[in-house]
Amino acid sequence: MADPTPAADELVVGFARVLRRAGLEVPVGTTITLARAWAAVGVQHRDALYWAGRVVLLRRPEDVPQYDEA
């Protein structure tokens, strides 16, 4: 069985890129923190991924619509 970690890492990096294109600031360190959060909740749990991302990535309430769109 293949190691699922590379695919999870690719998901995090890809999501960070989408968020940056949407105009959100996503520093590299925050992307690493997001990867750790997603690993903790498990990438198969979409709701948990959503909330983990919001907690890690968003700094202002004004960023929520861009996050949700991404």
Side-chain angles (χ1 to χ4, degrees):
M1 177 181 264
D3 181 9
T5 305
D9 289 348
E10 290 173 13
L11 284 173
V12 171
V13 171
F15 187 53
R17 286 181 182 146
V18 168
L19 292 170
R20 288 182 188 117
R21 282 193 294 260
L24 294 176
E25 183 178 333
V26 183
V28 172
T30 304
T31 305
I32 293 168
T33 303
L34 179 61
R36 290 179 179 151
W38 281 10
V41 300
V43 295
Q44 67 276 17
H45 302 288
R46 287 182 61 125
D47 287 345
L49 294 178
Y50 171 84
W51 288 106
R54 274 191 62 162
V55 168
V56 170
L57 297 169
L58 301 186
R59 306 283 183 255
R60 308 172 309 144
E62 297 84 15
D63 294 337
V64 172
Q66 291 166 293
Y67 178 82
D68 285 348
E69 182 67 27

